[in-house]
Amino acid sequence: MNDVVSIRASLAGDEAHIVISGEVDLSTADTVLRQLEQAVAECGSAVCDLSKVTYIDSRGIRLLVHVARGMRERGGRFTVVAPKETVAGGVLRLTHVAELELA
Amino acid sequence: MAVGRRSWSTSGLTSDFADHAARLHDVTAGLAAAATTSEIADVVITQGIPALSARTGVLGVLEEQDELRFLRSVGYGDVFPERLSLDEPWPITAAVRTRTMVELRDVVERRAEYAVPERVWKASGQGTLVAVPLLIGNRPVGALGFTREESRPLSADERGLVETLANQAALALERAVLFEADHRAREQAEGLQRVASAVARAATMGDVATAVASEALAVLNASGVTVVLARASDPSVGDVLASRGLAAEHARSEPTVNLAGNTITAQSVRLAEPVYAESEQELESGSPESARVADSFGVRGIASLPLVVGDRRGAFSVLLSESRRFYPEERRFLELLARSCEQGLLRASLFEAEQAARTRADILGALAATLSGAVAVSEVGSAFLDNALRLLTASSGALLLLDEEQDTLNAVSVGGASPSRDLWLPSIPVDESYVTGAAFHQATSVAASTREELEANFPGTASGFGGSARSAYAGALKLGDTTIGAFGLVFEDERDVSVEDQRLLETMADLCAQAIGRARSYEMEHQIAHRLQQAMLPPGVIRHPGVEVAASYHAGTEAMEVGGDWYDTFSLPDGRIGLVVGDVVGQGIEAAATMGRLRSALAAYALYETSPAELMARLNHFGQGVGRVDFATACFAVLDPESGALTYTSAGHPPPLLVAADGTSRWLTDGSTEPLYGSETFDPVQATAHLQPGDLLLLYSDGLVERRGEHIETGLARLGEAARSLHNQPVHEICATLAADLRPAVEHADDIVILVVRRKWAARAVFQRVFPARPEELRLMRLELRAWLDDQELSRSDREAVVLAVGEACANAVEHAYVEAQAGDVSVELSMLDDSLVVAVRDFGSWRAVPHDDPDRGRGYEIMRALSERVDIESGPDGTIVTMYLPHGVDRS
């Protein structure tokens, strides 16, 4: 984990709870994707909290879509928490990404 | 006739003498009233039969060929012949031969002495037969015969009556024959007269033949007439020049006649003598071929007279639907008609040849004139085709040239009004199954004059055109010893191209090949000039934070004109900007080269001399000397982007246009001065103007406003209106739209340059940063940007929007601009204006190809567009610049 972005994940039963904080951009996208896939690998559903994300661009959105699609294909569910007033909430609403389920 | 019959029917038969006298009276009166030979025969037979209690009666006239032609036969049904040779052993022919009356008591005696077909005997009854010659003096002119049912020798009275009938009939016939001959002669003379005058009026061979055929039909009471003339190119084929009556019907299905055959017509052509077949028997023995055709048309006699027209032979044939002998005077008439026809045809053929020669000369002249002005290969092709199609009235044609790989012939031009025009292939292999391919391969002309030949020799062409081509002709295009292409023509009819036309086409093809050679070198020069021009123009326009600049050059249309128009933009040492458009008069390599010299000189002088008027004076001096400029116009303007001050001079060039941010416009005419043409007294003026933020300055060359036949003011007004309506658009779009909308829609349009400059709104604050294109640099850039944004009066959501938009643009540049090992820089520049923030993200690399449907890239642009009022992306060889206009104070939630 570096000082730009951090991912914390906890497991409650079959559901993973993940919190991403910091900046998701071209330089961190690969790390975030790897850790996120690890966190959701063993569970049936996951909730990903983006409230503490301070920067996320189209590359970040892309990796979230990638993870959500992977879970859905194996029958799981991936939900994103990103309130409207947060940075990530603004970006998600701007891009109208239908594939990401907002909590 | 009617009088005679009535008087006969009222006379009684009570006294032999009275009866005899009455009959003679009736006969005399009847014969006197009878005008024609057949009326005479009628009177004699109808009087004779009751007087002699006869069952049958016949009357024939003796014709030249020792034949009796029977004008009348009563009581025989249709078994009695129309004609009978005197050689036949019949009682009636014996009477003529011996010039004495033949009387036979009954059928037994008749059979014993004469050989007459049984059906004739049967029809004649069992009894007495009398046959009498009709004599004038001792010369027989015909014969008369009766038969009775009963066997009873003629009484003296009856004998006397028969003799009297015979005498009177002979006289009457002689008179009528002479009269009829005279009448025919008069008709024929009149016919010949009419023919002579019709032939004199006839302009073409067809007209002559038609006039002759019509007269022959009328005068001879024929059922058909045809006039045939052998082709000069192939004497065995005769073209039907005219046909009338039954012959017209035949000619429709057979427009040519085989003169090598054995028809009556072919015989007369070959023998150069008249051939007469005047009965079915004669037809059958003379030409079974003609007999068969004649039979199918109900023709029973043919007379064919040879024609000689110059070195061509032909025939003039008359068809009869009855079998009869032509009278000697009719034969003479036919001969005379044939001579008239020959003379008329000869005159018309000379006239036609002269006309054709004149037409050919016209066509050659027209082609040469057009080709001398043709500069494109396609122009040459269509000029050639237009004239070739006109010459031969072909349905369509194409001109093909060998491609560079030497294995394909490409159609450079296709012409013709017929739908077959669309059936020419755009390219064909060099293949002899095509008529053009064969002409090319054999380096000579080839032809198929019939559909059959076309299918046999050029199956590619035959199947390609289907039934729309019945014959074809193609020739090679040769330049020196090299065959460079071929032309092809197809016809909807079957035809031979005449030797004269072939010769002309050959000459035309030579002219065409030479013109193509010229056009090719001209096109090459055009390409060189075009490349030179492109090389002379600056690779891009100046980038300056205070202005938006766009410029474009639009070459003259596909025709050859490369002009000497140019533009240039550059920084001056004092921070101002130099803006130039110019136009060197002339075309091609020379103009492009001159333009290059002027452009370089102006940019160089501008480093030391920034007064437009002074600079223009130097340029004029340069043009007089080393620059070698005959005549050029130029507009040079110097703009201070900070203050908006503009100084300009326009040397013979149309005035710059200033469009204010509020959409009003004005022409900057005060700086107008003399063009650059080496004037010794050149003393240019300059003028000043002021550009407010948002104002637009438009420099251009005259191609944008000048149209042939139109006053320049009209063009300027059009430009002003278009510029006003576009003034809010991005500058490069203004360039493109003006060029597209205002360029005149004609060939040979002049080339155009357009230079558009907009002064930007003054920035209250500017953020500038240049960083290496590496992913980890992005975060640092954002940190600095956030710090700068914190100092601006912006809402939090506006700040986040700016960070995201800039972040996306920079990430794109980092990711795509450079090949990994050669990462360059990315430059970010933000200008804070009153109501918006202008972001410019620039890289200096060349973007790697990215799939268009990459959803990631798409989403990045979507974000940038969602956040901005406008996004402009300009990619060039030296990098890409993304400009975003972000409004602030907008609630984006």
Side-chain angles (χ1 to χ4, degrees):
Chain A
M1 194 57 26
N2 60 36
D3 56 344
V4 180
V5 65
S6 76
I7 295 178
R8 275 179 288 116
S10 56
L11 205 61
D14 193 33
E15 185 173 88
H17 194 86
I18 303 156
V19 178
I20 303 179
S21 47
E23 306 195 343
V24 184
D25 72 354
L26 186 58
S27 66
T28 59
D30 287 348
T31 315
V32 173
L33 176 61
R34 209 168 47 245
Q35 295 191 8
L36 210 51
E37 281 187 327
Q38 234 166 36
V40 303
E42 305 290 321
C43 56
S45 67
V47 177
C48 184
D49 186 349
L50 302 177
S51 311
K52 291 183 178 153
V53 167
T54 52
Y55 180 81
I56 183 165
D57 63 10
S58 58
R59 285 147 190 87
I61 310 275
R62 179 193 182 191
L63 72 90
L64 290 172
V65 169
H66 182 76
V67 172
R69 203 175 286 163
M71 281 205 76
R72 201 165 50 245
E73 275 166 13
R74 57 175 212 259
R77 190 172 171 201
F78 184 82
T79 317
V80 172
V81 177
K84 188 169 88 168
E85 65 278 6
T86 64
V87 168
V91 176
L92 284 176
R93 281 166 182 79
L94 202 63
T95 53
H96 310 286
V97 182
E99 270 192 87
L100 281 183
E101 189 184 340
L102 287 169
Chain B
M1 175 69 195
V3 172
R5 188 171 284 166
R6 193 161 48 248
S7 63
W8 166 72
S9 63
T10 52
S11 48
L13 292 166
T14 47
S15 137
D16 274 358
F17 178 78
D19 187 44
H20 186 72
R23 281 189 192 286
L24 283 179
H25 174 78
D26 283 351
V27 167
T28 307
L31 289 180
T36 66
T37 51
S38 60
E39 281 172 6
I40 290 163
D42 209 38
V43 170
V44 172
I45 301 298
T46 49
Q47 295 282 23
I49 285 176
L52 297 171
S53 312
R55 172 188 165 103
T56 70
V58 297
L59 187 145
V61 290
L62 185 62
E63 298 201 325
E64 250 188 19
Q65 295 78 16
D66 284 346
E67 261 186 352
L68 281 172
R69 179 164 64 90
F70 291 96
L71 300 170
R72 187 94 183 143
S73 59
V74 170
Y76 281 102
D78 59 356
V79 302
F80 208 85
E82 275 181 39
R83 295 163 178 281
L84 194 60
S85 166
L86 290 190
D87 299 337
E88 296 287 335
W90 288 35
I92 198 162
T93 53
V96 175
R97 282 197 303 274
T98 59
R99 295 170 176 76
T100 53
M101 184 187 291
V102 174
E103 189 183 340
L104 300 161
R105 199 179 63 243
D106 57 24
V107 76
V108 179
E109 195 178 314
R110 290 195 237 154
R111 282 203 185 98
E113 294 187 27
Y114 296 96
V116 171
E118 197 50 39
R119 62 178 192 281
V120 176
W121 283 149
K122 216 169 183 180
S124 67
Q126 302 291 313
T128 307
L129 176 149
V130 60
V132 210
L134 307 182
L135 300 169
I136 300 284
N138 200 31
R139 176 169 61 88
V141 296
L144 179 63
F146 295 99
T147 60
R148 281 210 277 240
E149 192 61 57
E150 50 188 315
S151 284
R152 177 163 61 79
L154 268 63
S155 67
D157 260 359
E158 284 172 336
R159 189 175 291 263
L161 179 69
V162 168
E163 277 171 358
T164 309
L165 273 177
N167 284 335
Q168 297 214 358
L171 286 169
L173 273 180
E174 178 76 346
R175 192 191 69 226
V177 164
L178 287 175
F179 177 78
E180 283 175 11
D182 182 54
H183 180 69
R184 281 197 300 275
R186 201 164 47 241
E187 267 195 359
Q188 288 161 6
E190 284 167 9
L192 286 172
Q193 190 57 46
R194 283 194 299 274
V195 166
S197 80
V199 162
R201 280 195 310 274
T204 67
M205 295 173 82
D207 291 348
V208 169
T210 303
V212 172
S214 303
E215 281 309 325
L217 195 73
V219 172
L220 298 173
N221 196 23
S223 55
V225 180
T226 177
V227 181
V228 171
L229 197 62
R231 286 185 187 168
S233 57
D234 182 358
S236 72
V237 179
D239 288 310
V240 175
L241 295 184
S243 56
R244 279 283 179 273
L246 292 176
E249 208 174 306
H250 183 56
R252 266 193 293 278
S253 56
E254 303 275 333
T256 59
V257 173
N258 176 13
L259 295 181
N262 194 37
T263 56
I264 300 292
T265 299
Q267 288 174 26
S268 85
V269 173
R270 209 161 37 246
L271 301 171
E273 271 178 18
V275 177
Y276 290 91
E278 296 167 295
S279 66
E280 286 168 88
Q281 295 83 352
E282 285 184 23
L283 266 172
E284 193 55 53
S285 61
S287 165
E289 219 172 316
S290 288
R292 213 168 26 254
V293 178
D295 188 49
S296 69
F297 282 92
V299 168
R300 301 209 151 63
I302 298 178
S304 195
L305 289 99
L307 299 172
V308 178
V309 181
D311 49 5
R312 295 165 74 183
R313 298 194 170 261
F316 158 58
S317 302
V318 177
L319 315 178
L320 299 175
S321 52
E322 52 181 312
S323 79
R324 73 166 172 90
R325 293 286 167 205
F326 285 92
Y327 294 107
E329 64 274 17
E330 285 180 328
R331 293 186 175 212
R332 277 194 300 279
F333 169 70
L334 280 172
E335 295 271 343
L336 290 173
L337 212 52
R339 297 292 85 76
S340 271
C341 188
E342 280 177 346
Q343 287 164 16
L345 288 177
L346 184 64
R347 190 181 50 75
S349 76
L350 293 174
F351 183 70
E352 279 178 16
E354 190 191 311
Q355 285 289 99
R358 194 173 302 143
T359 306
R360 289 189 190 99
D362 283 351
I363 283 177
L364 203 56
L367 179 66
T370 316
L371 289 184
S372 71
V375 289
V377 169
S378 61
E379 274 182 85
V380 173
S382 47
F384 171 81
L385 280 182
D386 287 352
N387 286 290
L389 291 168
R390 180 157 75 98
L391 172 68
L392 294 173
T393 58
S395 53
S396 70
L399 187 117
L400 301 92
L401 294 179
L402 188 66
D403 75 348
E404 281 174 15
E405 280 78 44
Q406 312 271 311
D407 57 2
T408 307
L409 289 167
N410 295 321
V412 295
S413 197
V414 177
S418 144
S420 70
R421 175 198 173 114
D422 299 329
L423 299 174
W424 290 95
L425 297 171
S427 67
I428 58 162
V430 179
D431 181 333
E432 294 197 60
S433 82
Y434 297 97
V435 68
T436 43
F440 176 84
H441 193 255
Q442 297 166 19
T444 183
S445 56
V446 298
S449 55
T450 63
R451 176 72 198 172
E452 208 176 4
E453 267 180 59
L454 193 63
E455 283 172 3
N457 300 335
F458 311 108
T461 304
S463 68
F465 284 92
S468 66
R470 299 194 59 77
S471 57
Y473 184 85
L477 291 178
K478 286 181 279 192
L479 197 52
D481 294 333
T482 316
T483 307
I484 59 168
F487 68 89
L489 302 167
V490 297
F491 308 100
E492 275 162 10
D493 53 352
E494 298 197 333
R495 70 162 89 169
D496 280 317
V497 175
S498 73
V499 180
E500 293 81 4
D501 287 341
Q502 291 189 29
R503 232 175 271 142
L504 177 61
L505 282 170
E506 235 168 74
T507 309
M508 287 168 66
D510 283 348
L511 281 180
C512 176
Q514 287 161 19
I516 285 171
R518 283 199 305 274
R520 279 183 166 167
S521 55
Y522 195 84
E523 277 177 4
M524 195 172 292
E525 189 199 303
H526 173 70
Q527 282 171 10
I528 292 168
H530 193 75
R531 278 203 292 274
L532 189 60
Q533 168 114 10
Q534 293 296 331
M536 297 288 183
L537 288 171
V541 291
I542 188 174
R543 296 185 198 271
H544 188 285
V547 287
E548 299 168 57
V549 184
S552 58
Y553 169 77
H554 308 267
T557 36
E558 78 277 15
M560 305 289 94
E561 282 70 30
V562 168
D565 285 14
W566 93 92
Y567 66 85
D568 204 358
T569 57
F570 43 80
S571 299
L572 300 176
D574 58 10
R576 292 187 298 166
I577 296 170
L579 305 164
V580 193
V581 296
D583 181 359
V584 171
V585 172
Q587 275 153 7
I589 294 174
E590 191 48 45
T594 305
M595 178 272 275
R597 290 196 295 274
L598 269 184
R599 184 186 148 232
S600 310
L602 196 148
Y605 290 145
L607 292 174
Y608 308 102
E609 178 57 71
T610 53
S611 149
E614 284 301 312
L615 194 144
M616 208 57 90
R618 287 197 187 203
L619 207 57
N620 183 58
H621 186 71
F622 170 81
Q624 272 178 284
V626 290
R628 304 193 303 281
V629 179
D630 284 340
F631 193 98
T633 67
C635 179
F636 179 52
V638 175
L639 174 68
D640 183 345
E642 304 300 328
S643 68
L646 182 79
T647 313
Y648 67 97
T649 184
S650 187
H653 208 78
L657 178 67
L658 196 158
V659 186
D662 63 4
T664 60
S665 70
R666 67 191 176 93
W667 298 101
L668 304 182
T669 51
D670 292 346
S672 294
T673 200
E674 270 188 295
L676 302 167
Y677 62 101
S679 165
E680 296 288 343
T681 59
F682 189 63
D683 185 15
V685 296
Q686 65 183 35
T688 57
H690 192 258
L691 257 66
Q692 300 289 349
D695 283 3
L696 203 67
L697 179 69
L698 188 70
L699 308 185
Y700 53 91
S701 62
D702 55 7
L704 189 63
V705 289
E706 280 183 358
R707 288 189 196 174
R708 225 162 278 173
E710 185 185 84
H711 196 271
I712 181 77
E713 293 295 337
T714 313
L716 288 172
R718 190 167 45 234
L719 172 60
E721 193 181 329
R724 284 193 295 278
S725 72
L726 291 168
H727 82 283
N728 272 330
Q729 299 299 309
V731 286
H732 63 271
E733 272 177 33
I734 296 177
C735 273
T737 311
L738 288 179
D741 292 357
L742 299 187
R743 149 163 292 190
V746 294
E747 281 183 41
H748 304 286
D750 204 355
D751 52 352
I752 292 174
V753 292
I754 307 173
L755 174 58
V756 180
V757 180
R758 181 188 279 126
R759 192 178 160 218
K760 290 186 187 173
W761 293 95
R764 283 185 299 188
V766 173
F767 171 84
Q768 272 179 304
R769 188 173 145 74
V770 177
F771 62 91
R774 286 197 292 269
E776 61 273 22
E777 294 286 335
L778 290 168
R779 189 174 146 262
L780 297 174
M781 183 276 298
R782 288 201 302 271
L783 273 177
E784 285 181 36
L785 178 61
R786 281 182 199 278
W788 181 79
L789 286 171
D790 285 345
D791 291 343
Q792 313 303 321
E793 290 169 12
L794 291 172
S795 67
R796 186 177 152 265
S797 80
D798 279 347
R799 287 203 300 273
E800 288 305 326
V802 174
V803 172
L804 182 58
V806 174
E808 284 289 351
C810 288
N812 278 344
V814 168
E815 204 172 11
H816 301 297
Y818 301 103
V819 179
E820 266 153 70
Q822 307 164 340
D825 288 338
V826 176
S827 134
V828 183
E829 188 178 297
L830 279 80
S831 307
M832 190 70 186
L833 307 180
D834 288 341
D835 57 353
S836 66
L837 219 158
V838 182
V839 178
V841 175
R842 189 175 177 198
D843 64 64
F844 308 90
S846 53
W847 284 41
R848 280 161 287 157
V850 177
H852 288 295
D853 52 356
D854 182 338
D856 192 29
R857 285 285 300 284
R859 196 173 294 126
Y861 284 122
E862 195 186 315
I863 290 174
M864 282 155 48
R865 273 195 295 269
L867 296 170
S868 310
E869 196 174 71
R870 201 172 87 208
V871 181
D872 295 340
I873 300 170
E874 280 181 82
S875 273
D878 54 348
T880 296
I881 181 162
V882 177
T883 312
M884 294 181 284
Y885 300 81
L886 291 103
H888 47 74
V890 179
D891 183 8
R892 284 191 192 78
S893 55

